[in-house]
């Protein structure tokens, strides 16, 4: 059976730390999907609406989780680089620079967007961020003068991050298409009984 693009990406480096890196990659991609949908939805809700506050707490918890996963991912990435580049240094082609620039930008956003979330939440009120109920220490002091800056930074960095993610997905289009087909295939087999 011919190999799909998805299988090619993972199989070609099956024995390396790259497999572990891609595993964190997919978990984090799912978390970003949740963060963008909850973030956009919750900020449109009227202030006293009953699910607004739990949604904010959920968004902040997933945002914190993704920061912890990022630390882990960076450690794995260092292992991938060590194994790869100690064997053979990279060929500095324009293609290599393009990929490294885009991936580095994505890492900067993965760090900066949740930090601005903390800036917004901590400046608004101290002890405002909980990790699924567990209170977290503040990174920034409570300061009403910083709330607007925090909100604007979180808004603009989050949506610029989204634009970079879309560019990345377009560049990885073959893999995205293979994943989509696999997803549709699963839906079809799981819900076959509905068609009968
Ligand atoms: C990579 C992680 C994160 C992403 C991608 C993200 C994304 C977003 C997005 C898209 C919005 C909606 C903005 C709007 O349309 O007004 C939002 C709102 C918000 N986020 Fe995040 N967020 C992340 C992490 C965090 C963290 C860690 C916190 C706090 C600890 C946080 C706190 C908030 C708050 C309080 C709002 C509501 C802003 C408002 O009501 O104007 N976010 N986020
Ligand atoms: C449907 C969505 C996505 C698809 C299909 C996809 C696909 C891929 C593929 C195939 C690779 C491996 C490229 C290689 O061969 O080296 C990769 C790497 C990467 N992707 Fe994605 N990706 C998606 C979502 C995301 C998201 C949401 C982010 C968020 C930042 C992201 C960030 C990265 C980064 C930084 C790398 C470099 C490897 C690493 O350091 O983890 N991707 N992606």
């Amino acid at each position: 059976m011919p190999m799909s693009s998805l299988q090619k990406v993972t199989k070609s480096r099956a024995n390396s730390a790259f497999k572990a890196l891609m595993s964190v990659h997919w978990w984090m991609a799912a978390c970003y999907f949740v963060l963008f949908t909850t973030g956009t939805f919750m900020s449109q809700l009227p202030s006293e609406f009953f699910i607004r506050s739990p949604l904010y707490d959920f968004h902040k918890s997933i945002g914190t989780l993704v920061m912890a996963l990022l630390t882990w991912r960076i450690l794995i990435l260092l292992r991938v680089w060590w194994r790869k580049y100690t064997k053979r240094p990279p060929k500095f082609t324009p293609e290599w620079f393009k990929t490294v620039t885009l991936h580095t930008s994505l890492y900067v956003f993965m760090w900066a967007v949740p930090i601005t979330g903390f800036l917004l939440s901590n400046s608004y009120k101290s002890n405002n961020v909980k990790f699924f109920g567990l209170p977290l220490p503040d990174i920034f002091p409570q300061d009403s003068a910083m709330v607007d800056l925090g909100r604007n930074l979180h808004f603009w960095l989050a949506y610029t991050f989204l634009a970079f993610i879309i560019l990345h997905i377009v560049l990885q289009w073959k893999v995205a298409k293979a994943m989509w087909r696999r997803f549709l295939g699963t839906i079809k087999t799981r819900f076959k009984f509905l068609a009968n």
Side-chain angles (χ1 to χ4, degrees):
M1 208 165 60
M3 237 194 245
S4 73
S5 316
L6 194 57
Q7 284 168 325
K8 271 183 210 154
V9 169
T10 36
K11 274 259 171 72
S12 59
R13 294 180 250 189
N15 295 320
S16 71
F18 185 76
K19 220 176 151 191
L21 185 66
M22 285 314 279
S23 163
V24 193
H25 168 277
W26 297 121
W27 282 109
M28 287 181 72
C31 289
Y32 291 126
F33 177 75
V34 171
L35 282 163
F36 279 106
T37 43
T38 51
T40 311
F41 178 64
M42 72 191 193
S43 54
Q44 305 298 318
L45 294 172
S47 58
E48 290 310 315
F49 200 65
F50 74 107
I51 52 161
R52 187 179 144 107
S53 175
L55 258 186
Y56 268 60
D57 284 341
F58 179 68
H59 179 87
K60 292 175 198 175
S61 299
I62 300 288
T64 308
L65 173 68
V66 108
M67 285 173 91
L69 289 175
L70 178 64
T71 313
W72 186 26
R73 182 170 179 167
I74 291 171
L75 293 175
I76 303 176
L77 179 68
L78 293 177
R79 233 174 71 208
V80 170
W81 277 358
W82 179 257
R83 289 196 184 173
K84 196 165 146 189
Y85 295 137
T86 47
K87 267 189 212 144
R88 172 166 38 90
K91 288 192 196 91
F92 298 111
T93 58
E95 192 57 36
W96 185 87
F97 277 111
K98 205 179 84 187
T99 308
V100 167
T101 310
L102 178 59
H103 289 175
T104 308
S105 315
L106 288 169
Y107 273 95
V108 172
F109 284 115
M110 285 192 270
W111 177 81
V113 175
I115 291 289
T116 57
F118 268 88
L119 175 66
L120 165 60
S121 294
N122 293 161
S123 312
Y124 179 68
K125 203 162 129 245
S126 58
N127 298 320
N128 186 1
V129 185
K130 295 186 194 71
F131 181 66
F132 297 107
L134 181 79
L136 293 177
D138 293 340
I139 305 181
F140 300 95
Q142 182 174 336
D143 180 357
S144 56
M146 294 298 284
V147 175
D148 269 347
L149 177 68
R151 182 172 290 121
N152 280 326
L153 280 175
H154 194 58
F155 178 94
W156 286 108
L157 285 176
Y159 290 114
T160 316
F161 179 35
L162 183 61
F164 274 70
I165 291 175
I166 292 170
L167 175 64
H168 168 68
I169 295 174
V170 169
L171 294 174
Q172 298 289 346
W173 193 241
K174 271 190 178 168
V175 176
K177 231 166 63 186
M179 281 172 60
W180 181 244
R181 274 204 222 104
R182 191 197 255 192
F183 172 72
L184 287 183
T186 312
I187 299 272
K188 265 188 207 150
T189 44
R190 290 271 155 85
F191 295 97
K192 219 186 232 163
F193 66 91
L194 285 179
N196 297 328

